[in-house]
């Protein structure tokens, strides 16, 4: 992993084969003091894809009762990663394609970079966000 920071608060993260996507983005946020911001672009290829998504319209309070986890092997072309960063913690979603199937969901730990990964993080000055449980224990952005 290598990171580059511009004068106007953008952090570009380059991931190489074997790097872990979410874990590296979290490390870049810490290294560059990104408390509140967004991952505004993300592309690459993963050798496995770990995501979860909500598959119901009724929302039980227990997240385990509403989330479907997928751990998918094989080469995945990542067409987009994006999301908000609050309290230094990214909440990211991903869309990826393996040649036959397109999937999307919440990016989880353990996604290993196959060929490359390129992510752009934008820091927000003058705004401080956190996440707090809302209705049905859904994590919601709020201002600190």
């Amino acid at each position: 992993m290598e990171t580059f920071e511009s004068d106007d608060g953008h952090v570009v993260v380059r991931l190489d084969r074997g790097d872990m996507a979410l874990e590296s983005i979290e490390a870049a946020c810490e290294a560059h003091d990104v408390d509140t911001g967004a991952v505004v672009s993300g592309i690459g290829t993963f050798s496995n894809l770990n995501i979860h998504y909500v598959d119901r319209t009724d929302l039980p309070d227990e997240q385990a009762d509403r989330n479907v986890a997928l751990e998918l092997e094989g080469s995945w072309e990542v067409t987009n990663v994006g999301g908000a960063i609050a309290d230094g913690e990214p909440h990211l979603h991903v869309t990826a394609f393996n040649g036959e199937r397109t999937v999307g969901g919440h990016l989880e730990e353990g996604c290993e970079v196959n060929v490359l990964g390129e992510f752009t993080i934008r820091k927000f000055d003058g705004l401080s966000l956190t996440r707090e449980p809302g209705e049905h224990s859904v994590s919601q952005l709020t201002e600190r």
Side-chain angles (χ1 to χ4, degrees), residues 3-113:
T3 62
F4 316 90
E5 186 170 352
S6 69
D7 291 339
D8 66 349
H10 286 83
V11 177
V12 176
V13 181
R14 187 200 76 220
L15 301 184
D16 301 312
R17 185 175 178 89
D19 288 337
M20 300 304 233
L22 181 58
E23 296 87 333
S24 296
I25 294 167
E26 290 170 339
C29 287
E30 185 174 338
H32 291 273
D33 297 320
V34 180
D35 178 70
T36 299
V39 173
V40 295
S41 71
I43 60 153
T45 60
F46 295 164
S47 58
N48 61 299
L49 183 64
N50 298 331
I51 62 173
H52 82 261
Y53 65 95
V54 176
D55 74 335
R56 353 177 14 152
T57 56
D58 64 321
L59 293 178
D61 287 336
E62 291 298 318
Q63 287 189 0
D65 293 337
R66 63 179 176 231
N67 291 338
V68 173
L70 297 177
E71 295 182 0
L72 305 168
E73 297 297 323
S75 181
W76 289 88
E77 186 71 22
V78 176
T79 59
N80 188 51
V81 173
I85 301 165
D87 283 331
E89 293 294 322
H91 177 137
L92 305 178
H93 285 236
V94 59
T95 305
F97 178 67
N98 74 349
E100 296 178 11
R101 177 181 182 192
T102 300
V103 297
H106 180 97
L107 184 66
E108 295 289 346
E109 292 184 344
C111 296
E112 185 175 344
V113 172

